[in-house]
Amino acid sequence: MTTLQAEAGSRRVVANERTLFVIGNGPSLKGVDLTRLSPYATLGMNAAYRYWREIDWRPKIYACLDLVVGMSHREEIAELIREGRIKTFLLRANLIDALGEVACDARVVNFDVLQRRHALLRVPAVTTGSHSALWGAFAGYSQIIMLGIDARYREL
């Protein structure tokens, strides 16, 4: 079993194949070397792809569950799908419809369909951060570590 041991202040994280790192793009992520997480399950979200391009890194899973944010980033999300470096895309039905043929990829998962079928995902007021963590639990991850999700989001 491969493990990652990382110090986070006074806390030590031991990661393995049942660990999911849910990665936002908040200021607390500054200084975190995302490439060290590459051997593990990683879920990145929303507009963080801007930074991933700078460091030539991609998470294994991408989520965009905000109905408005998804639509405003649809061209960039389409490009992420086309480039083929991410294994799973967790998206809302309205974005999948807007993406058209590019969303007919087997890696694209319709969150709205999952939510209707599974009680764990039916928590109201869908946000990408909270529901990505719920999806991780639904997918069987026993340890979910959230990085860069600082609860300081402001719509511009």
Side-chain angles (χ1 to χ4, degrees):
M1 171 191 314
T2 346
T3 61
L4 167 76
Q5 294 190 15
E7 298 288 333
S10 61
R11 300 189 65 201
R12 173 172 274 173
V13 173
V14 179
N16 58 38
E17 65 278 350
R18 298 206 45 198
T19 302
L20 174 65
F21 289 91
V22 176
I23 305 165
N25 60 357
S28 69
L29 202 58
K30 186 176 179 148
V32 173
D33 180 1
L34 296 178
T35 63
R36 290 190 62 214
L37 302 178
S38 293
Y40 305 98
T42 50
L43 186 154
M45 59 188 71
N46 296 334
Y49 60 81
R50 294 171 180 148
Y51 178 63
W52 308 336
R53 287 179 181 150
E54 288 176 27
I55 63 170
D56 193 29
W57 178 86
R58 302 294 184 272
K60 291 184 175 46
I61 305 156
Y62 174 82
C64 187
L65 303 178
D66 182 291
L67 295 169
V68 176
V69 171
M71 294 302 287
S72 68
H73 294 277
R74 72 178 170 268
E75 292 304 319
E76 292 86 354
I77 293 168
E79 183 55 35
L80 289 171
I81 295 169
R82 282 192 283 271
E83 77 178 12
R85 294 177 61 185
I86 296 173
K87 294 180 181 181
T88 303
F89 290 84
L90 190 59
L91 306 174
R92 301 296 297 271
N94 73 319
L95 177 56
I96 292 170
D97 291 344
L99 288 169
E101 192 171 315
V102 74
C104 294
D105 189 298
R107 296 171 298 145
V108 175
V109 176
N110 187 325
F111 178 80
D112 294 304
V113 170
L114 289 178
Q115 190 179 40
R116 283 192 298 272
R117 293 181 181 166
H118 303 285
L120 178 63
L121 301 174
R122 283 192 213 126
V123 176
V126 173
T127 69
T128 303
S130 64
H131 282 69
S132 291
L134 284 172
W135 178 85
F138 165 76
Y141 293 99
S142 60
Q143 178 176 227
I144 298 170
I145 298 168
M146 300 178 87
L147 304 169
I149 300 174
D150 300 342
R152 295 182 181 177
Y153 179 77
R154 289 186 342 203
E155 285 192 44
L156 301 175

